[in-house]
Amino acid sequence: MNAMTTALTPKPSALDLDPDGLTELVTTIGQPRYRAQQVMRWLYRGVRSFDEMTDLPKPLRTALAERIAASSLKPSRSSRSSDGVTTKVLFHLGDGALVESVHMRHAGARNKVRTTICVSSQAGCAYGCAFCATGQGGYGRNLTSGEILEQILFFLREEEGQTDALPLPANSRPVTNIVFMGMGEPFANYDNVMQSIRALNAPWGLGLGARHITVSTVGLVPQIHQFTAEPLQIGLAISLHAPNDELRDSIMPVNRKYSLAELMPACREYVAATGRRITFEYVLLAGVNDADEQALELARLLRGLLCHVNLIPMNPTASSLFVRPSGERMRTFAEVLDLAGIPVTLRDTQGGDIQAACGQLRTSAQRLVPD
Ligand code: SAH
Ligand code: SF4
């Protein structure tokens, strides 16, 4: 490798390593295995440089810093809603790619504070849904597991008001929900997303319950099958947005590959195998998918399935052809579903005065949280 290449290639991220990988590295450097556990603990407490790992010998810190990066995301812009509830951060990845993540605080059951972190799984997205700013911007690349984890660790450290102290241990933190509803299609980056989820869940990682993690997919059928067979009980949300193939084809190109005739049986199989309720997301687009007949058609499609429909008011995007329906239209649509026996939520979008550039982050993520 010449000097030029070395300068241009970002170092591998420490968070991409699992305990075995880190132990191997530490022993190669000639240090005892238990040092790997110390490093792991610091990393999952949100520390962003080896120098902060004060109980490690200095030569080990230097040797690690030469080989791997303790952090590879640079937060570049952050905006907070005026009510202080939502914070959105734009991160530069090591190679300059950009992703966004959102942190929200909200009251859960018995008014306990809950936080939800909405993470990106890819820079850009290849699926080109007509109403989505990310999709219209095209595809960049997959994020590594470490880059996904770092978005979360950033908020745990910075946003929970503990910039000076380290984040609290998992059992004394407010309940944190993670939703893969930022930029990108998580199931198109399946292995890295699953690797990050295992680290979120593992005792050596964040120790977060799998039921506090939800993955949202545009409907990639082979990966839905694969996900159904995963040992962890992770939540699944499907971006449906239309009750029939003709309409779905016209706003979501993926439907031409995996039509409802394939998608719906995969969803039914997930519910049957896991016993978990599935969430269907449905972005309301004025004059496109918001009529009473379409609500009835949706109810017929979902009849008998253990599920829940999240109605998402369309977030305007810069080049958007679509418009959010009136509040009254959206409420009526929800009522029609409700009367047809389909559990449904429609949240208002008040308080969100920051621009959600990828069009979806806040409103859609907010109502996926278990109590
Ligand atoms: N790629 C995944 C996850 C990211 S998008 C997926 O499509 O499911 C998260 C949610 O926001 C999806 O349901 C998506 O369809 C929705 N969304 C996209 N653009 C939106 C917009 N402009 N307004 C409201 N929701 C939007
Ligand atoms: Fe990609 Fe999801 Fe946006 Fe569709 S809605 S373009 S799958 S990020």
Side-chain angles (χ1 to χ4, degrees):
M1 205 187 275
N2 62 33
M4 190 74 165
T5 330
T6 314
L8 290 175
T9 311
K11 274 183 227 154
S13 161
L15 284 162
D16 282 325
L17 299 174
D18 64 6
D20 289 347
L22 200 57
T23 305
E24 196 184 317
L25 180 66
V26 162
T27 49
T28 318
I29 296 172
Q31 291 277 334
R33 303 170 68 85
Y34 74 89
R35 295 287 187 205
Q37 287 162 20
Q38 285 176 297
V39 175
M40 216 73 182
R41 262 202 304 277
W42 284 111
L43 288 172
Y44 284 91
R45 288 164 81 192
V47 157
R48 296 170 55 82
S49 81
F50 291 111
D51 271 344
E52 289 174 88
M53 304 186 181
T54 46
D55 57 358
L56 298 184
K58 186 97 179 70
L60 175 58
R61 286 188 243 163
T62 311
L64 286 171
E66 279 165 5
R67 290 166 175 81
I68 51 176
S71 68
S72 56
L73 262 58
K74 285 198 183 58
S76 81
R77 212 175 55 222
S78 143
S79 38
R80 192 182 285 261
S81 62
S82 53
D83 56 11
V85 168
T86 306
T87 307
K88 186 178 73 167
V89 173
L90 182 74
F91 291 103
H92 282 269
L93 307 182
D95 60 359
L98 295 174
V99 294
E100 277 184 328
S101 328
V102 173
H103 177 277
M104 290 156 273
R105 274 166 212 270
H106 40 91
R110 295 170 297 283
N111 265 346
K112 280 180 83 177
V113 175
R114 299 279 189 260
T115 64
T116 296
I117 300 173
C118 177
V119 287
S120 293
S121 56
Q122 299 182 311
C125 180
Y127 286 87
C129 301
F131 45 83
C132 173
T134 310
Q136 295 310 300
Y139 176 66
R141 68 164 171 89
N142 279 336
L143 265 54
T144 68
S145 159
E147 288 167 335
I148 295 169
L149 290 166
E150 239 189 90
Q151 298 168 56
I152 297 157
L153 291 166
F154 172 84
F155 284 118
L156 292 186
R157 182 162 187 190
E158 306 290 322
E159 294 298 309
E160 291 182 358
Q162 296 158 22
T163 22
D164 297 329
L166 286 169
L168 302 168
N171 53 7
S172 53
R173 269 202 310 259
V175 173
T176 301
N177 301 291
I178 309 293
V179 296
F180 284 79
M181 299 188 84
M183 291 177 166
E185 167 49 39
F187 279 178
N189 185 16
Y190 191 91
D191 292 344
N192 292 347
V193 165
M194 287 313 300
Q195 189 184 329
S196 71
I197 290 176
R198 281 191 291 274
L200 290 174
N201 180 249
W204 49 261
L206 275 181
L208 203 72
R211 70 184 207 95
H212 292 291
I213 304 170
T214 300
V215 178
S216 170
T217 177
V218 71
L220 305 187
V221 170
Q223 287 89 329
I224 295 173
H225 289 305
Q226 200 176 344
F227 191 73
T228 301
E230 292 287 345
L232 288 176
Q233 293 271 293
I234 313 152
L236 178 62
I238 305 279
S239 291
L240 196 56
H241 308 324
N244 60 57
D245 280 325
E246 195 189 350
L247 181 56
R248 203 164 187 267
D249 278 350
S250 72
I251 54 175
M252 300 176 73
V254 72
N255 199 64
R256 288 178 220 135
K257 182 145 192 220
Y258 301 115
S259 69
L260 294 175
E262 272 191 84
L263 177 59
M264 295 316 295
C267 294
R268 288 180 189 276
E269 221 175 277
Y270 168 85
V271 171
T274 63
R276 291 186 64 106
R277 184 177 76 157
I278 208 164
T279 298
F280 289 102
E281 295 154 275
Y282 194 101
V283 177
L284 286 164
L285 310 167
V288 176
N289 67 356
D290 65 340
D292 288 353
E293 305 80 71
Q294 287 159 321
L296 287 170
E297 204 179 354
L298 182 60
R300 280 195 296 276
L301 185 71
L302 302 181
R303 187 155 296 149
L305 183 58
L306 180 63
C307 71
H308 177 257
V309 174
N310 275 332
L311 296 176
I312 310 173
M314 160 77 190
N315 265 330
T317 63
S319 63
S320 189
L321 303 166
F322 301 97
V323 180
R324 178 186 295 185
S326 69
E328 197 190 335
R329 177 87 301 271
M330 297 195 288
R331 282 189 294 277
T332 307
F333 192 93
E335 270 166 34
V336 174
L337 280 178
D338 185 45
L339 285 171
I342 305 292
V344 55
T345 40
L346 164 69
R347 293 245 175 119
D348 67 62
T349 53
Q350 306 275 304
D353 56 346
I354 57 172
Q355 285 295 313
C358 46
Q360 65 266 43
L361 292 166
R362 181 171 186 271
T363 48
S364 51
Q366 203 170 30
R367 63 192 77 96
L368 273 175
V369 292
D371 284 328

